[in-house]
Amino acid sequence: MATAAVSSGGISDQLFVSIKLECPRLDELGLVPHVFGSHPVAGSWDSSKALPMEQEEAAVWGLSCVVPSHHETLDFKFLLKPKGNSSQCIVEEGPDRSLVCGSSEVETRNALFKFDDELGAVECKVFVETEILSPFDLAASWKAHQEHLQPRVRGAHDVSMNAESESRAKGADGRHVPPQEEQRAIFVDRGVGSPKFARPTNETISMSNAKFDSEAKDMPAAEGAVAAAAVADQMYGPKEDRKLAIVLVGLPARGKTFTAAKLTRYLRWLGHETKHFNVGKYRRLKHGINQTADFFRGDNKEGVEARNEVAALAMEDMLSWMQEGGQVGIFDATNSTRSRRNMLMKMAEGKCKIIFLETICNDKDVLERNMRLKVQQSPDYAEQTDFEAGVRDFKERLAYYEKVYEPVEEGSYVKMIDMVSGSGGQLQINDISGYLPGRIVFFLVNCHLTPRPILLTRHGESLDNVRGRIGGDSSLSETGLLYSRKLASFIEKRLATERTASIWTSTLQRSILTAQPIIGFPKIQWRALDEINAGICDGMTYDEIKKIKPEEYESRSKDKLRYRYPRGESYLDVIQRLEPVIIELERQRAPVVVISHQAVLRALYAYFADRPLEELPNIEIPLHTIIEIQMGVAGVQEKRYKLMGAVNPTAGI
């Protein structure tokens, strides 16, 4: 891997805070320690919104979080709440604790809690550690895992890999269940706790010019911990930094529009208000679709003015959209001269941050394919009856652009060099800072155009499906077992020539059992693919929830997307934990079969189909049906295969 680029102590860096409380009496008293304070994440001094600490050992509780390094002093205190009763609390005695960002001195006096006369007082030892980390440092924990350092960061999820799918033991019910101890697995534990971020030996850390090889095996993958930095950036970042314009740069047929559409889909799925502004559409609306190559000559003054005019119109529309609440605008045009880019930067000054995204391709075969595809699909040639004449005109247009083309050397930029071919490439970044730009870089380095299918399917019908119960970890019904065999037969035929394909499942046995008959492919278990956590409603039927917890039933009915089961998850939580899965799916060049659950597959399907988040909870993902997503240069296409007839309609969440 080439050198990674990160600054230390800059405005975009994050302060990782690890707090531990040690006291053996708390567990005996049935009390759970919490943290609350001046930071909004900690409730802004609202005790009802205090952050609960998690028990790491018999007498030790821990909490870790990420806040902006440039934030002013943070004040906080500990409080105790009885288990199962969040309304009562006991706040520690003494003055507020202060955490001065940027200072190495951390206050660690003991915490004193006073009770009634009978219980007296309880004193707890306090340990606080802080470390300045950039978003790149946070995500670099993946590389540390590869070196067996096992950092632990709040918000990421466990992954286990098992290539020996044929060795199985029988469970109590006679069905084959893969026992944990027999799995020859790589198990990545990324739970709550204090991370130890170790940078690779001889790796230079600077922020100016960074280069990533897209084929590097140790490129940091997406990490859930980085999401914590997103909250901090949105709360405390400068206003103009909260609005981001990704301005595409590049010659025609370099994959700009494809990249713009892919990035738009990803950011929308993460919940960022994102819109794609294609300047070509503005040009066609104002000047028609019958412009010949002469219109694009660099010495055609009228043509240059006309093209700059529509670019300015598109930019004005994008800035107006941002003022109305939009967050990320994707500005799609060639923007191939320094004067055009200077015009855009001047228009955006004080309103949004601009990052140039330049796509460069030197592969003649890829370019020829892209040019012919462009002529075939572009509205500019919709009325051209002679395809080869259209190709000649497009190549002439391209030659005019090449004469005046000026590569990006100014401002913040990302260069994607020969990354569309699927056989290597390089990503260069300059002056990139902040959570969201960092996420965009991680996404782009994993993107490619290699065609491959991704097959999504729910597990076979489970015993809880038959009973109409949500959640749980039941095994398969007879119908579900039949589907597992039909699925194996389908996969064997569909992927007969794809020996490098892989099977991904959740860690729940109904998903693992569905994959069991499939042979010849490595199987990977992702805890992130587990069904949505129904919390206290796990194992109940919807009728039971309606009867026993009518307020929860009503709340869920009003807003399924944002509703969070008590002590469980919402659909938005599921999206958050699935981000590493999406990044890895984008990185794969071989077919992947994902065997998971209804809520999870709804979220994955919404990403590939670019469905609005509001529609996500109601997307139909029927049992015993395979959804094949074909990814490649032509975009995303879908096929469905129904292997069995209709079953219990109450299945799923």
Side-chain angles (χ1 to χ4, degrees):
M1 178 178 170
T3 57
V6 186
S7 64
S8 182
I11 194 170
S12 66
D13 289 343
Q14 311 298 330
L15 182 71
F16 183 88
V17 183
S18 174
I19 304 172
K20 294 186 184 297
L21 200 71
E22 181 180 357
C23 181
R25 290 193 60 192
L26 295 185
D27 210 20
E28 300 172 8
L29 298 171
L31 298 171
V32 178
H34 290 62
V35 174
F36 74 139
S38 59
H39 194 285
V41 174
S44 299
W45 292 116
D46 183 347
S47 61
S48 66
K49 298 179 181 178
L51 295 173
M53 302 181 75
E54 299 196 23
Q55 193 164 11
E56 298 179 355
E57 299 176 22
V60 178
W61 283 259
L63 174 72
S64 58
C65 61
V66 179
V67 295
S69 64
H70 62 282
H71 186 262
E72 55 274 5
T73 300
L74 302 176
D75 297 321
F76 69 96
K77 276 192 147 183
F78 296 100
L79 59 85
L80 304 179
K81 293 185 179 183
K83 292 180 181 177
N85 186 349
S86 60
S87 60
Q88 298 179 8
C89 63
I90 304 165
V91 181
E92 71 165 308
E93 299 292 316
D96 298 341
R97 297 174 181 271
S98 294
L99 183 64
V100 181
C101 297
S103 171
S104 59
E105 296 183 6
V106 180
E107 187 177 12
T108 57
R109 71 173 188 273
N110 289 353
L112 180 65
F113 301 93
K114 290 186 178 180
F115 299 88
D116 53 32
D117 295 338
E118 183 178 345
L119 292 175
V122 170
E123 189 170 6
C124 304
K125 292 182 179 179
V126 175
F127 306 91
V128 181
E129 294 181 1
T130 63
E131 186 174 359
I132 296 290
L133 301 166
S134 75
F136 287 87
D137 289 323
L138 291 169
S141 60
W142 174 265
K143 185 161 187 174
H145 275 303
Q146 301 293 77
E147 298 173 355
H148 308 292
L149 298 179
Q150 296 191 5
R152 301 172 63 84
V153 183
R154 172 183 287 275
H157 301 277
D158 297 350
V159 182
S160 62
M161 298 179 61
N162 181 12
E164 273 198 18
S165 57
E166 303 318 307
S167 118
R168 297 287 183 264
K170 288 189 177 181
D173 58 359
R175 293 186 173 90
H176 290 280
V177 180
Q180 194 72 22
E181 61 271 18
E182 288 197 4
Q183 294 185 11
R184 297 185 180 181
I186 301 170
F187 192 78
V188 183
D189 184 9
R190 304 177 196 159
V192 179
S194 299
K196 299 298 181 185
F197 294 94
R199 298 192 175 107
T201 309
N202 299 325
E203 182 162 335
T204 304
I205 306 297
S206 65
M207 190 55 200
S208 283
N209 289 299
K211 298 180 181 180
F212 297 105
D213 294 328
S214 67
E215 283 293 284
K217 300 303 181 186
D218 53 2
M219 177 62 205
E223 286 293 335
V226 187
V231 177
D233 268 16
Q234 290 175 3
M235 286 180 178
Y236 302 109
K239 184 176 181 181
E240 62 272 17
D241 284 353
R242 298 179 213 163
K243 307 291 184 180
L244 183 62
I246 306 297
V247 176
L248 275 294
V249 177
L251 293 167
R254 264 61 179 181
K256 295 186 301 298
T257 297
F258 175 84
T259 303
K262 204 174 184 74
L263 190 55
T264 300
R265 186 181 71 206
Y266 170 69
L267 294 174
R268 280 177 181 165
W269 182 77
L270 287 179
H272 301 286
E273 194 67 30
T274 306
K275 190 172 181 179
H276 180 188
F277 292 81
N278 185 292
V279 177
K281 292 182 179 179
Y282 284 77
R283 169 177 54 79
R284 286 185 282 271
L285 284 171
K286 189 170 181 62
H287 301 286
I289 64 173
N290 297 315
Q291 303 298 330
T292 64
D294 284 342
F295 181 78
F296 301 92
R297 287 195 347 252
D299 58 356
N300 181 344
K301 185 177 179 181
E302 290 183 358
V304 172
E305 290 178 353
R307 286 184 282 127
N308 282 339
E309 180 187 14
V310 293
L313 286 172
M315 190 67 174
E316 288 172 358
D317 281 356
M318 188 174 74
L319 295 174
S320 297
W321 170 78
M322 286 181 174
Q323 286 183 331
E324 295 170 0
Q327 184 184 1
V328 184
I330 312 290
F331 192 83
D332 182 9
T334 55
N335 301 311
S336 54
T337 63
R338 192 170 292 109
S339 60
R340 163 73 73 84
R341 298 193 292 268
N342 287 339
M343 178 189 80
L344 299 177
M345 286 193 289
K346 188 173 182 180
M347 293 179 69
E349 191 173 352
K351 299 176 182 177
C352 69
K353 177 182 178 61
I354 281 186
I355 294 178
F356 294 114
L357 175 54
E358 185 176 14
T359 59
I360 300 170
C361 179
N362 301 304
D363 189 316
K364 292 182 179 180
D365 292 336
V366 171
L367 288 176
E368 182 67 26
R369 180 193 67 191
N370 287 356
M371 285 188 283
R372 303 185 77 83
L373 189 65
K374 185 79 172 179
V375 173
Q376 182 181 347
Q377 297 180 345
S378 174
D380 286 347
Y381 296 96
E383 298 180 2
Q384 173 62 264
T385 56
D386 186 339
F387 179 75
E388 292 302 327
V391 172
R392 288 193 296 272
D393 180 85
F394 185 81
K395 289 183 177 179
E396 188 178 355
R397 179 196 302 190
L398 177 57
Y400 289 139
Y401 272 111
E402 287 175 334
K403 288 181 180 179
V404 298
Y405 186 77
E406 297 174 297
V408 176
E409 295 177 350
E410 68 275 15
S412 301
Y413 64 75
V414 178
K415 289 177 182 271
M416 298 177 67
I417 304 172
D418 290 329
M419 293 188 66
V420 297
S421 64
S423 58
Q426 191 179 77
L427 195 76
Q428 295 182 6
I429 66 173
N430 179 70
D431 192 24
I432 299 296
S433 62
Y435 160 75
L436 195 53
R439 293 299 320 118
I440 289 170
V441 169
F442 290 130
F443 177 74
L444 292 174
V445 82
N446 286 286
C447 289
H448 57 86
L449 299 182
T450 306
R452 78 280 190 197
I454 295 173
L455 284 74
L456 309 176
T457 183
R458 290 172 64 182
H459 56 79
E461 182 190 63
S462 70
L463 295 177
D464 276 343
N465 288 151
V466 175
R467 303 178 188 118
R469 299 193 177 279
I470 64 175
D473 191 18
S474 66
S475 57
L476 298 179
S477 67
E478 291 301 323
T479 303
L481 289 171
L482 176 60
Y483 176 69
S484 70
R485 295 191 290 271
K486 286 181 175 289
L487 176 63
S489 177
F490 177 90
I491 297 299
E492 181 180 353
K493 294 175 182 176
R494 176 64 184 85
L495 304 180
T497 60
E498 301 284 357
R499 292 297 91 187
T500 56
S502 57
I503 314 298
W504 297 5
T505 74
S506 73
T507 63
L508 300 175
Q509 65 169 331
R510 57 189 182 275
S511 176
I512 297 170
L513 289 170
T514 302
Q516 181 183 314
I518 303 173
I519 60 174
F521 301 105
K523 295 173 183 174
I524 303 172
Q525 295 174 20
W526 288 75
R527 197 166 288 177
L529 290 175
D530 286 1
E531 180 59 293
I532 188 172
N533 185 347
I536 62 174
C537 297
D538 189 77
M540 299 172 68
T541 67
Y542 287 121
D543 286 341
E544 288 173 344
I545 297 173
K546 187 175 183 179
K547 181 179 180 180
I548 300 171
K549 297 188 175 296
E551 69 287 351
E552 297 298 334
Y553 187 89
E554 183 66 21
S555 296
R556 179 178 177 274
S557 300
K558 289 179 178 178
D559 189 355
K560 283 182 68 176
L561 178 67
R562 296 170 184 82
Y563 170 78
R564 178 180 287 117
Y565 285 96
R567 302 179 191 171
E569 291 180 301
S570 68
Y571 272 97
L572 293 180
D573 295 328
V574 172
I575 288 174
Q576 189 67 47
R577 65 166 153 102
L578 282 175
E579 186 186 9
V581 178
I582 288 295
I583 294 292
E584 190 61 21
L585 283 172
E586 287 288 357
R587 193 184 70 82
Q588 294 292 312
R589 285 182 163 79
V592 177
V593 180
V594 180
I595 304 173
S596 187
H597 310 266
Q598 181 166 246
V600 170
L601 293 179
R602 280 172 169 165
L604 293 178
Y605 178 82
Y607 169 78
F608 291 113
D610 196 17
R611 295 280 289 272
L613 291 184
E614 298 297 335
E615 296 180 8
L616 188 155
N618 299 311
I619 293 174
E620 184 179 1
I621 308 288
L623 278 171
H624 304 163
T625 300
I626 298 169
I627 303 174
E628 179 176 324
I629 305 293
Q630 186 69 42
M631 299 178 66
V633 67
V636 177
Q637 299 174 331
E638 172 192 334
K639 290 181 182 179
R640 294 200 178 205
Y641 306 90
K642 192 169 186 176
L643 300 191
M644 293 175 58
V647 294
N648 195 320
T650 61
I653 292 183

